[in-house]
Each structure stands twice: as structure tokens, then as C-alpha cells.
Amino acid sequence: MRVRGRAAVVAALTRPTVRSLPWRLLAGGWALGVVVAAVPALFSLDLPAAALADVVRAAALCGAVGTAFALDDPARHTTGAVPVPRPLRQTLRVAVVGLAGAVWWAAVLGAVRAGADAASWGVLPAGALTVEAAALSGLALALAGAAVRFSAVRLPGPAVAAALPALPVAAAVFLPYEHALFVPPGDPRWADAHTLWAGILAVTLAVWAACGPEPRRRVRGAPGRGGGVPKRGGGRTRRAIARNLG
Amino acid sequence: MTRPTVSAAGLTLSYRGTRAVDEVTLRLTEGVTGLLGPNGAGKTTLLRILATATVPDNGAFTVLGHDPSTVTGRQDARRVLGYLPQNPGFHPDFTAFEFVDYVAVLKELTDRRTRHAEARRVLDAVGLADVRGKRIRKLSGGMKQRVALAAALVGDPGFLVLDEPTVGLDPEQRMRFRELIAEAGEGRTVLLSTHQTEDVAMLCHRVVVMDQGRVRFDGTPAELTAVADGRVWRSAERQPGARAGWRTGTGEFRNVGDPPEGARLVEPTLEDGYLLALGGDPVAGVAA
């Protein structure tokens, strides 16, 4: 059998990856997001920029709930011992979801714009809200990635999707006033809040990336992976290894 | 002596303070080796370690000369092994062919023509040529198991790890699966985890018995049967001193353990030897 390079693997893997994604669940979250974004247009609501920002945030949260299913892989264990590494497989999944997600986000902004008057749309900071949406989806990926890395679960999506809406609520309730994440456009805290959002995006993507590689050493005490014993063998073990493996 | 294809020494893995695999040392050679043991004996954990799906706390092993403790070593080991997990999962909307083709890509068969030929070959080998275009969700449990075996056979691996592949299959399907495993064992090393002593008796040139994470016996099926020589007897009543005893169809009890004086000894079976190998100290014939 000829072994080709990574590019050839990626090319061959793209189609089955697209086929293997849980599109119904992803699309469910995204469709709900578009419906939420279309509410002002559907009901001819004349909302101010602050309310429009909250509509966009609600749509972003729906999208993040859909993204929580991106790493669901019912065949995880059947394909658990293949040479193509997990980071490559996950990256390809996330890239495909990311591309589709970008189209979805454009649809969300388009739906909001259709229902907003020119003045409100003009002061709505779409770029900063896009960073918020990306951070929420990044959070979903980080949680799903951690679930895959630290447990044997095949479908982390349902648990992550269930937990995700609670996190922005908790942030709104527990974060101090000066570090609030959900601030209206034009608020003096806007710049600081979006520095924080950018930080969340960077950290969540870093966590997802760090959870990708399969471990060479077990994590002490990690859920479902036990731990709590010394990593190196005693003299008896080392002698046995030397004897048997030469 | 036949050169080992898979060597493991001192493999240990703990789950929350319990040693699921405890200082396991093994040398596997070509042919089918059976791994017997009760639930919770550590069989699946050992198989997952040897399949490189999980990492041991201690110990080391090689698969066809590759050391999976390094990133490149693990990849090299994975190129020469096939793994059928205990509860194989699938993408249910894939056809059998699409799924095996997908696994072939994951095994780095990137040339489309070669890959498709390989997918057809392994599906033919497991007797699924007629249903390769059928969606997996519409296949029976036995057929799904065969799809998983076909996926494990992709790339003609030198080491095949099969975790209870006959569980949940009806007798006919189990028979068919045994034939497939026997064929797979020709020219490669197969490690077969099972609860069924009949699987071992029919398929394996060697048997390893595990209990409480440790190897209790390592030898041939005949040697495991011989462990029970002179230690199986029949009686009219239940024998309190027997290690195990059960009422047979004739109404008599069949007992395994240390027989009382004058006991009616009977010919032992592999299962009798297995029962005696469980628990206590390793029995005669053990290599570990």
C-alpha cells in the first residue's frame, strides 16, 4: 500500500468528513439563529441598536449550540486506532463547519439588516458582534474538544449544547459591572468588553487545539482515564521490559 | 521458538485507584490467541492499550517492531494493526462501502482506485459484497459486526485486535464469524477477546486468561484443559468444597475444584480449566 502525504489525505478525507458531520443538528441551531435574527423583519419591529445587538447575540448563541455538535463522531472507537491523527481529522471537521458557519453568519446579519432602519444598522458594530459569535462557537468547540480528550464519549454535542446557554447567563450574572461581556453599543465599556471577547476566542481555540492530540502519557486523575499511579515503573517493571523488549 | 510479533512487558493501567491492567507481560505470535476472562477482568483495557487506543501508566510494548510510546512509533504501529472495538460505532447514513472506504482513507490509502479495490476486497472477504451499497442503519447486528471487521482488515494489517466480536450474534452468525476470524488468523497475529470458551477451543492456538487485571494463565487450549485434569467430578448433591458447581441436565451436579476422596471424576473441558484458572494464584502453565 502506498502512503501519500498529508495533502493527499486531506483531499481524500474531505468528502467523507462532510458526509459524516451531524448536519441536521448543526443546521437546527443555525436555522433557529436565522429565525431569531429575522424576528424584527418578520414583525416589522423598529428596534434600537442596543436591542438589535441583543437579537444578534441570541442568534449567535443558537449558532454556538449547533456548533457544539461539530465533534460528534459515532464511529470514534471504530476509527480509534488509525494512523491519520485526531488533530487533522478534527481540524478538517471544524474547517468545514467554519465555512458553513460563515455563510450562516452572513445570513444572520443579512436578516437583521433587513429588519433594521438605516440609523440603527449604521451604529450596530457588526465586526465586534462577529467576534462575540466566534467566541461563543469557540467555547462550544473547546468544551466538545475537552469532552473528547478526557473521556470516551462519542457524542459530546448534547451535553455541551445543554450547558452552553447557561454560560453567557452566568457571565451576565456573576461578572462585575466593569468587566461585563454583554454591553450595548456605544457603552464606555464596549472596547474593554471586546478585548475580553477576543481573549475568550483566543483561549477557547487554544484549548480546543490543545485537546486535539492524543495523549502519549495519561493525565493523572483525568475523568474516565484513572490515574493516580506513578508514571515510571519500578525496578521489577523495568527489568521485565528490558528482558522482553530487548 | 516462533519470533513474537507483539511483545508487552509490565503493562499497567489504573482507573480511579483500581488496577484494570496489572503488570501484564505477553508475547504474541502468528495465529489466533484467545483472551478469556470475566467482566471487569481488564481484557478490553489491555486490548485498547495494544491497539494504541489508550496509553498505559507503566510498561512498554512493541507491535511488529514499532514502539507506540512515541508519536511516530504510534503512527507506524497503527499502520500495521487493525482494531475492532467492543461496541463498534458507525456513521449510520454511510453505506457499508462508504464506511470501509472512509476507514481506508484514515489508514492513508489515498489513491482512489487502490482504496476502492481494497474496500471491495475486505467487504468480499467478510461476505458483504451483496450489501455493500446498503446504508449501515439498515443492516442487521451481525452485518454491522462484519462491516467493523472489514474496516479492521483494511490495509491487510499484521496485527488484528478483536474485542468480543461474537457478542450479540446468533449461533449461525457466530459460526460465520468464527470462520472469518480463522481466515484472518492465517499469516497474521490475531488477539481475540471473548467470553466464549467455544470460540477459543475452535479458533485459538493459544489462550491467555485474565482476572482482576492479571494474567492467570498463558498456554495452549490443551494445557488449559489439562489444568482441570482430576479436578472435575459428578455428584448427586451440591458440593460445598467445589470452586464451582452446577446442576446438569441429568439432575447431577458437575463440580470443579479439589475433589473429595472417591469422587466420580469426569473428563475436563476447556471451560473447567478456565474456571480453575480464575482467581487465586496463577496456575501451572502460566508464562507471566
Side-chain angles (χ1 to χ4, degrees):
Chain A
M1 303 292 172
R2 283 187 66 81
V3 177
R4 301 277 176 86
R6 284 283 156 83
V9 170
V10 169
L13 205 51
T14 302
R15 190 170 174 274
T17 299
V18 172
R19 290 259 291 116
S20 69
L21 280 163
W23 285 112
R24 285 189 202 105
L25 294 163
L26 288 162
W30 290 345
L32 188 60
V34 171
V35 169
V36 168
V39 163
L42 290 173
F43 296 98
S44 304
L45 302 176
D46 192 13
L47 298 178
L52 283 178
D54 287 338
V55 168
V56 173
R57 283 170 178 148
L61 185 58
C62 293
V65 167
T67 307
F69 297 94
L71 302 185
D72 280 11
D73 182 5
R76 174 182 175 183
H77 300 307
T78 315
T79 58
V82 292
V84 173
R86 190 166 69 194
L88 182 64
R89 286 181 271 158
Q90 281 199 356
T91 302
L92 197 53
R93 287 174 86 83
V94 170
V96 171
V97 171
L99 282 173
V103 173
W104 160 76
W105 186 243
V108 164
L109 293 179
V112 171
R113 185 174 190 173
D117 61 54
S120 297
W121 177 257
V123 295
L124 194 70
L129 289 170
T130 300
V131 172
E132 290 186 27
L136 285 171
S137 289
L139 183 61
L141 280 178
L143 291 173
V148 170
R149 169 65 178 78
F150 294 110
S151 77
V153 68
R154 303 177 203 213
L155 308 173
V160 174
L164 206 59
L167 295 169
V169 173
V173 172
F174 293 112
L175 283 177
Y177 177 82
E178 62 273 20
H179 297 303
L181 282 170
F182 300 102
V183 295
D187 189 286
R189 297 168 295 164
W190 182 266
D192 286 348
H194 284 85
T195 305
L196 198 52
W197 275 115
I200 291 170
L201 175 59
V203 168
T204 53
L205 290 181
V207 168
W208 166 67
C211 288
E214 292 165 85
R216 282 188 298 130
R217 288 266 165 223
R218 292 176 69 237
V219 177
R220 197 180 170 90
R225 288 173 178 271
V229 295
K231 292 209 187 299
R232 305 304 308 174
R236 197 171 126 210
T237 304
R238 272 191 232 112
R239 280 194 297 278
I241 293 167
R243 201 167 49 245
N244 280 279
L245 302 181
Chain B
M1 185 181 166
T2 316
R3 189 178 161 78
T5 47
V6 178
S7 300
L11 291 178
T12 300
L13 192 152
S14 298
Y15 285 120
R16 298 192 174 94
T18 303
R19 289 201 165 197
V21 172
D22 191 0
E23 299 263 341
V24 168
T25 294
L26 276 178
R27 283 171 169 230
L28 303 178
T29 53
E30 220 171 77
V32 184
T33 297
L35 184 61
L36 278 174
N39 286 330
K43 304 188 300 292
T44 290
T45 308
L46 177 62
L47 261 57
R48 283 179 55 79
I49 292 171
L50 294 177
T52 74
T54 196
V55 186
D57 295 319
N58 281 324
F61 67 106
T62 59
V63 177
L64 297 163
H66 304 294
D67 173 8
S69 67
T70 64
V71 173
T72 50
R74 180 165 58 192
Q75 270 190 295
D76 290 341
R78 286 178 172 186
R79 288 188 180 111
V80 295
L81 71 82
Y83 175 45
L84 192 163
Q86 195 170 15
N87 298 304
F90 307 93
H91 296 296
D93 288 329
F94 279 35
T95 64
F97 180 83
E98 283 173 334
F99 186 76
V100 173
D101 186 53
Y102 169 55
V103 173
V105 177
L106 293 175
K107 290 192 174 184
E108 298 177 327
L109 301 183
T110 52
D111 178 71
R112 192 179 155 156
R113 191 172 291 180
T114 309
R115 195 174 70 238
H116 284 193
E118 178 66 359
R120 277 193 293 272
R121 182 188 73 80
V122 292
L123 284 167
D124 285 354
V126 300
L128 290 180
D130 295 343
V131 296
R132 65 178 175 223
K134 210 170 176 179
R135 286 187 196 279
I136 291 175
R137 70 163 78 243
K138 292 187 176 169
L139 299 180
S140 68
M143 284 179 173
K144 284 179 185 170
Q145 281 292 85
R146 283 194 265 163
V147 173
L149 180 62
L153 287 169
V154 166
D156 200 15
F159 177 40
L160 198 55
V161 181
L162 307 176
D163 195 353
E164 298 190 16
T166 57
V167 161
L169 302 184
D170 64 38
E172 195 184 336
Q173 287 174 327
R174 203 181 308 151
M175 215 57 210
R176 172 81 184 124
F177 223 87
R178 279 181 189 148
E179 280 176 36
L180 295 173
I181 294 167
E183 284 165 21
E186 287 169 16
R188 62 162 69 87
T189 302
V190 178
L191 182 58
L192 167 72
S193 164
T194 180
H195 283 296
Q196 313 274 340
T197 48
E198 311 97 86
D199 286 348
V200 172
M202 290 185 189
L203 288 169
C204 303
H205 76 291
R206 188 173 150 209
V207 56
V208 174
V209 177
M210 275 187 86
D211 191 24
Q212 295 175 354
R214 287 183 164 266
V215 172
R216 300 293 177 182
F217 176 89
D218 186 350
T220 64
E223 286 168 343
L224 181 57
T225 305
V227 166
D229 272 347
R231 300 180 71 188
V232 186
W233 73 101
R234 287 183 183 276
S235 62
E237 301 292 327
R238 187 179 294 278
Q239 301 280 291
R243 175 92 65 97
W246 61 95
R247 192 191 291 272
T248 64
T250 62
E252 282 189 314
F253 282 85
R254 184 183 174 92
N255 307 285
V256 179
D258 295 321
E261 216 164 289
R264 281 183 292 145
L265 296 177
V266 295
E267 198 69 22
T269 64
L270 187 69
E271 190 163 72
D272 298 324
Y274 165 65
L275 289 170
L276 284 168
L278 293 179
D281 296 323
V283 294
V286 71

